[in-house]
Amino acid sequence: MSSLKNVLYFQSGLGVLANIFLLFFYTFIIIVHKSKPMDLISCQLTFVHIVLVLTGGDIWLTDVFESLNIENDFKCKTTFYINRVMRGLSICITCLLSVIQAVTISPSTSFLAKSKHKLKKYIIYAFLFLWFFNLSFSSNRIFYVGAFTNVSETNQMKVTKYCSLYTMNSVIRVLILTATTSRDVFLVGVMLTTSAYMVIILFRHQRQCKYLHSLSHLKASPEKRATVTILLLVVVFVVMYWVDFIISSTAVLLWMYHPVILTVQKFVMNAYPTITPLVQISSDNRIFNMLTNLWSKCHQIFKKG
């Protein structure tokens, strides 16, 4: 059990550091350079993932809350609500990322091409809607989570060191599960549809390149690299999401959480926020170029000194 927790600590630390680095990078790009619509979405997703990892259980915020002498009940409701909101935003923004990339690489003859010049305007509206929707959608969770007590363990299910879910009416439990599942299935469906569309476009482009016998065209363009990156992120998200969904749904329906299963679920929940920045960092040439320029400037300064 202790080795599992050490792995979880390492994963969380790596995820937070990688996302913070990426957040600074995208913020710099947006402020200093002419940003692309994808940069705005990636910046938002990175921020969401930082908060998601920080509120994912009792790993990071426990000591902070204890030092501020905040009551466990308030702490549990706050962290659980924020975590649920961020989890919802993660799937929504990943879906938005997939849709926008599909629009970006769509051929000029496609009906999607008409929306390209309005992407930035649409993205701002999309952000406002997604935040409002997820803040409202997860508000019911506040009433069913609180500080863990030993008064009646049958009426609560421990989910962290200090927090537990309270029993709810079976009808309400099924309604919440159905609403959450419907939202997530719809978004995953959109992601898979846009991913299939992007794969078809990439396949057609590859065939055209081979037909033209041009080796220069076979070199991956920035758009192609970005598309492949998003396709990879979608695959990782869908796999991790369904593993998490199966674990959490089974636990809620059976009203039973084993500590080891809970730790494994936290690892699965943090896998996507950890993998995402690492994939983006390794695939974005701008980051490599920025670090190379920074290193050369530092080398010149030290050489002069």
Side-chain angles (χ1 to χ4, degrees):
M1 186 66 182
S2 60
S3 58
L4 273 174
K5 285 201 170 183
N6 288 334
V7 171
L8 193 61
Y9 283 128
F10 173 77
Q11 181 202 40
S12 301
L14 179 64
V16 170
L17 289 174
N19 277 297
I20 287 173
F21 171 79
L22 208 56
L23 182 64
F24 279 119
F25 169 74
Y26 283 124
T27 304
F28 174 77
I29 290 292
I30 290 167
I31 293 172
V32 177
H33 299 285
K34 189 178 179 181
S35 62
K36 301 175 184 176
M38 301 302 289
D39 294 328
L40 295 171
I41 303 172
S42 296
C43 186
Q44 187 87 192
L45 186 63
T46 302
F47 171 76
V48 166
H49 284 166
I50 292 171
V51 182
L52 184 64
V53 175
L54 289 175
T55 56
D58 50 0
I59 301 173
W60 297 92
L61 295 182
T62 304
D63 295 333
V64 176
F65 278 118
E66 284 182 351
S67 64
L68 295 173
N69 293 319
I70 295 175
E71 290 183 5
N72 284 340
D73 197 57
F74 177 79
K75 174 182 72 175
C76 293
K77 288 182 185 298
T78 304
T79 53
F80 193 81
Y81 173 67
I82 293 172
N83 185 260
R84 291 293 96 183
V85 171
M86 293 303 135
R87 186 179 179 278
L89 282 169
S90 179
I91 184 173
C92 289
I93 295 174
T94 302
C95 181
L96 181 64
L97 198 68
S98 180
V99 170
I100 297 300
Q101 185 61 23
V103 173
T104 302
I105 68 167
S106 60
S108 55
T109 53
S110 169
F111 72 96
L112 293 174
K114 297 175 184 178
S115 308
K116 285 184 184 182
H117 65 285
K118 296 180 180 179
L119 283 181
K120 274 194 178 181
K121 182 183 175 181
Y122 290 153
I123 286 169
I124 301 300
Y125 291 135
F127 283 158
L128 292 172
F129 171 76
L130 292 179
W131 275 89
F132 175 77
F133 173 75
N134 284 284
L135 286 167
S136 305
F137 190 84
S138 301
S139 59
N140 60 79
R141 305 303 177 92
I142 298 172
F143 303 105
Y144 300 107
V145 68
F148 177 77
T149 61
N150 291 317
V151 177
S152 176
E153 292 194 13
T154 56
N155 293 330
Q156 53 191 314
M157 180 171 62
K158 196 173 183 179
V159 290
T160 68
K161 188 177 179 180
Y162 299 104
C163 305
S164 63
L165 288 174
Y166 297 147
T167 52
M168 60 186 80
N169 185 284
S170 58
V171 176
I172 295 173
R173 192 188 305 178
V174 171
L175 283 173
I176 291 174
L177 189 61
T178 304
T180 305
T181 306
S182 301
R183 178 199 66 180
D184 294 355
V185 167
F186 170 74
L187 292 170
V188 169
V190 172
M191 275 189 255
L192 293 176
T193 303
T194 53
S195 296
Y197 176 72
M198 286 188 280
V199 168
I200 291 168
I201 291 174
L202 288 178
F203 180 71
R204 284 178 180 173
H205 178 72
Q206 196 72 13
R207 279 201 309 180
Q208 286 173 355
C209 288
K210 286 180 180 179
Y211 179 75
L212 293 169
H213 300 288
S214 175
L215 292 175
S216 61
H217 285 131
L218 293 176
K219 189 178 179 181
S221 64
E223 290 79 12
K224 185 178 179 181
R225 280 197 302 271
T227 305
V228 172
T229 299
I230 290 165
L231 288 172
L232 180 60
L233 292 180
V234 168
V235 170
V236 172
F237 179 86
V238 171
V239 172
M240 293 302 170
Y241 168 78
W242 285 114
V243 173
D244 172 43
F245 177 78
I246 291 166
I247 294 172
S248 58
S249 299
T250 305
V252 170
L253 290 173
L254 298 177
W255 205 249
M256 183 180 65
Y257 251 130
H258 191 277
V260 176
I261 297 296
L262 189 59
T263 305
V264 170
Q265 186 189 13
K266 287 176 185 175
F267 179 83
V268 172
M269 283 176 65
N270 288 342
Y272 178 67
T274 303
I275 293 170
T276 299
L278 298 177
V279 171
Q280 288 177 308
I281 289 168
S282 61
S283 62
D284 198 331
N285 281 345
R286 294 175 302 173
I287 296 175
F288 178 76
N289 293 334
M290 185 185 74
L291 292 175
T292 304
N293 292 333
L294 191 64
W295 172 256
S296 62
K297 285 179 182 178
C298 290
H299 185 68
Q300 288 174 4
I301 292 168
F302 284 123
K303 207 172 181 180
K304 288 178 181 179

